[in-house]
Amino acid sequence: MSDTLRIAIIGGGIGGLTLAVALGKLSQSSPNSPNVKVDLYESTPKFTTVGAGISMYTRTWRAMQLLGLDGDVAKVAVQPPDEEETEGTFYRKSDQLADGYNFYEMKMPFGAITLHRADIVSILHSNLPSICTTHFNKKLSSYSSSPKSNFTELRFTDGTTTTTDVLIGADGIHSAVRSGMFSGGEKEFAEPVWSGTIAYRYLIPAKKLEEAFPGHQGLTKQMAYLGKNKHAVCYPISQGTQANVVLFVSQPHLEGTHYEPAWVSEVEKDFVGKEFVGWEKEVQALLDCAPQRIMKWAICVVNPLPKYVEGRVGLLGDAAHAMTPHFGAGAGQAVEDAYILSRLLTHPLLSSAPSSDIHRNLEIALKIYETVRRPVAQAITKGARDAGLLYEFNLPLDVPEVGTEVQDGEDGGGMKVMLGAIAKKIYELEEWQFKGPDVDEDWVRAKRMLADHLGLDTGLGSGGEGGE
Ligand SMILES: Cc1cc2nc3c(=O)[nH]c(=O)nc-3n(C[C@H](O)[C@H](O)[C@H](O)COP(=O)(O)OP(=O)(O)OC[C@H]3O[C@@H](n4cnc5c(N)ncnc54)[C@H](O)[C@@H]3O)c2cc1C
């Protein structure tokens, strides 16, 4: 390696862009950081703003603060995030013709921060540092690194090749980097699987929804409309000018199978409407206001991987842990990956350690990233799966505890008890968002491991804070 540490990022989605931004900010914040150069390879001709609403919660918000991006993000959020315990999601039973009822409100610090994905991508894009060169229309086909050479060779579909010191696959659920890492016949890790759920996504102009259903709760709150095998989510984005709608339809027995048709396609709105016949008016209004053609997404996931790192190659974001969207956490987890990884890769200890073997030190840093991030992301992936089952009345619950605060509704006592048990379980599942260890603590742990592994006495090994 020359004096410059070359980091190649494959994929310019929220994960790859956040990593590039973070590497720029952190490498320039300390004169002792390695001299970093980032190359970002994106297969499309520009950064794509495809996607609709994104929710962010406490942990992701903290990472945004630590990266100094919170000010920009707050400007495009529907409401400026507030550290006090604020409105999160309102849960409502909706799979009946009679009006449903909000049976639970999940509050947490900062509440639910709702945004348009395009706004986040554009903030990240405008924060790309000068140390980052972006290469569009560059689709990675494969890579190879040999233990003998200290670099990794990248091969692109246009026939070109290049080399890098560190390769990070932030190339989404179909990651070519993950396929390469698990090319030894481990198909269950190389290829994603279907969750059994289809999501229908679209936006409604807020004015249109207000006219069709004055006071619709999805215009001002994050709403989850629950029912058997299906549920709907609606919340405001773009500073309240649009409502983001996602309708989920599940066949739980098909979880883990391969989805053969195109993963993303368009369907007629009548087709989707048929799925929600018999649901309450508040949900019908979302379908009445839908565009004629609706985006259909097969929700696929990556099985829990046994590793995120091999040598100086790592996976980040959906490439490592594509999950169901029921926690609204996929992008947030990519941001957390980027935060921890960027701090490790820019840490002054990498170049100042007595064993000045920078290649070995980089491998140690990547392994620590995996050690810290993999259990967190995998626990959240499992929680998101359970949340999906819970929202569609398919998660086996222990004996329901009577006494949870639930409004009375037309379904009477039995339903009240069931919804009480669901409310309690929602709280348990969502606690990770605001109960530690948080992103700061994860970093302290990573930093301590780095010091321990590099054999330095910085005071970190014994639990002290010290160092960068
Ligand atoms: C219905 C739905 C709702 C969601 N809601 C939320 C939410 O509310 N909150 C939340 O946090 N998350 C949510 N998510 C999840 C979130 O969208 C993803 O987790 C997140 O966008 C992943 O970001 P990423 O950068 O890892 O991957 P991606 O966004 O997939 O980006 C990967 C990038 O890599 C590029 N690429 C791919 N292959 C190659 C290659 N071989 N070479 C070069 N470039 C390549 C792609 O073009 C793309 O730009 C939702 C997802 C769905 C489906």
Side-chain angles (χ1 to χ4, degrees):
M1 199 182 89
S2 66
D3 283 351
T4 304
L5 165 58
R6 297 171 303 158
I7 301 176
I9 302 173
I10 309 297
I14 289 175
L17 283 168
T18 308
L19 181 64
V21 169
L23 287 168
K25 284 182 185 273
L26 294 165
S27 64
Q28 283 153 13
S29 68
S30 163
N32 300 322
S33 285
N35 187 17
V36 173
K37 178 178 182 308
V38 177
D39 285 285
L40 178 59
Y41 299 96
E42 167 55 49
S43 59
T44 58
K46 58 180 184 157
F47 294 123
T48 160
T49 49
V50 171
I54 287 273
S55 311
M56 269 187 197
Y57 301 93
T58 315
R59 276 184 74 104
T60 311
W61 188 249
R62 179 64 187 143
M64 286 291 175
Q65 286 179 324
L66 291 164
L67 290 172
L69 294 169
D70 52 319
D72 286 351
V73 178
K75 286 187 202 139
V76 295
V78 173
Q79 283 162 1
D82 179 350
E83 188 157 4
E84 292 304 304
E85 207 173 65
T86 343
E87 275 183 13
T89 306
F90 290 76
Y91 295 87
R92 184 173 170 91
K93 162 125 180 10
S94 298
D95 61 343
Q96 70 289 310
L97 281 173
D99 285 345
Y101 44 95
N102 296 2
F103 67 89
Y104 185 56
E105 178 194 348
M106 178 76 208
K107 288 187 169 179
M108 62 179 81
F110 299 107
I113 303 161
T114 58
L115 314 137
H116 197 302
R117 182 181 180 276
D119 290 333
I120 295 277
V121 169
S122 115
I123 288 169
L124 293 169
H125 184 188
S126 61
N127 275 280
L128 278 179
S130 55
I131 59 159
C132 174
T133 308
T134 305
H135 311 262
F136 288 112
N137 294 311
K138 277 287 183 192
K139 183 168 185 178
L140 184 87
S141 52
S142 62
Y143 72 88
S144 51
S145 9
S146 89
K148 282 191 199 140
S149 60
N150 277 326
F151 58 81
T152 295
E153 184 179 70
L154 314 183
R155 291 179 284 275
F156 296 93
T157 52
D158 61 6
T160 57
T161 60
T162 188
T163 60
T164 186
D165 300 312
V166 173
L167 167 63
I168 303 300
D171 46 349
I173 189 163
H174 300 287
S175 171
V177 180
R178 191 183 67 245
S179 296
M181 198 179 280
F182 294 99
S183 58
E186 298 141 303
K187 209 173 155 198
E188 77 266 36
F189 303 126
E191 290 180 13
V193 292
W194 187 31
S195 65
T197 295
I198 296 288
Y200 300 95
R201 303 175 86 175
Y202 52 93
L203 302 178
I204 305 175
K207 230 171 134 195
K208 183 173 179 180
L209 185 56
E210 177 62 28
E211 274 166 24
F213 195 107
H216 196 287
Q217 296 187 86
L219 289 165
T220 51
K221 300 178 165 95
Q222 172 141 305
M223 294 298 303
Y225 301 95
L226 311 190
K228 185 67 185 170
N229 288 337
K230 292 164 197 179
H231 76 283
V233 170
C234 180
Y235 54 82
I237 60 166
S238 304
Q239 283 144 329
T241 57
Q242 304 200 76
N244 177 61
V245 181
V246 192
L247 305 166
F248 296 95
V249 177
S250 301
Q251 295 167 274
H253 63 286
L254 294 179
E255 182 184 23
T257 58
H258 284 272
Y259 190 79
E260 296 303 336
W263 284 24
V264 183
S265 58
E266 275 191 355
V267 291
E268 289 293 317
K269 93 171 182 181
D270 290 352
F271 175 84
V272 186
K274 284 189 190 125
E275 296 281 8
F276 289 86
V277 169
W279 283 53
E280 63 159 324
K281 289 199 261 330
E282 200 165 317
V283 174
Q284 293 306 331
L286 299 178
L287 285 151
D288 294 344
C289 295
Q292 203 48 45
R293 307 270 301 160
I294 294 179
M295 291 290 284
K296 173 184 170 188
W297 296 56
I299 302 293
C300 293
V301 299
V302 171
N303 282 325
L305 301 180
K307 61 183 175 194
Y308 286 1
V309 164
E310 194 169 69
R312 290 184 300 284
V313 179
L315 300 171
L316 176 150
D318 274 13
H321 45 65
M323 59 186 74
T324 57
H326 307 304
F327 270 162
Q333 283 306 292
V335 168
E336 285 189 35
D337 288 345
Y339 175 68
I340 298 292
L341 183 57
S342 58
R343 289 215 67 168
L344 285 163
L345 289 178
T346 56
H347 202 285
L349 288 184
L350 286 189
S351 37
S352 63
S355 123
S356 56
D357 181 352
I358 183 85
H359 298 104
R360 178 184 157 269
N361 295 351
L362 286 167
E363 286 179 17
I364 288 170
L366 278 159
K367 210 65 197 162
I368 293 170
Y369 156 73
E370 175 188 289
T371 306
V372 170
R373 287 295 306 145
R374 195 168 66 97
V376 176
Q378 291 188 342
I380 292 169
T381 302
K382 180 180 180 316
R385 172 191 178 270
D386 288 353
L389 292 172
L390 183 68
Y391 299 164
E392 300 185 350
F393 308 155
N394 287 322
L395 188 72
L397 293 169
D398 297 336
V399 180
E401 281 192 20
V402 186
T404 312
E405 271 306 304
V406 178
Q407 281 171 246
D408 261 327
E410 47 114 35
D411 295 286
M415 182 54 70
K416 184 176 169 182
V417 170
M418 184 186 96
L419 295 178
I422 289 178
K424 183 167 173 278
K425 190 70 187 173
I426 289 172
Y427 183 84
E428 282 170 22
L429 287 177
E430 293 271 2
E431 268 183 322
W432 67 270
Q433 299 269 18
F434 49 92
K435 276 206 168 168
D438 60 14
V439 184
D440 298 79
E441 289 164 278
D442 285 350
W443 167 239
V444 169
R445 216 155 53 85
K447 189 167 54 170
R448 190 173 296 142
M449 284 186 229
L450 191 66
D452 285 347
H453 284 275
L454 295 185
L456 291 177
D457 180 15
T458 61
L460 293 173
S462 54
E465 262 297 279
E468 291 288 323

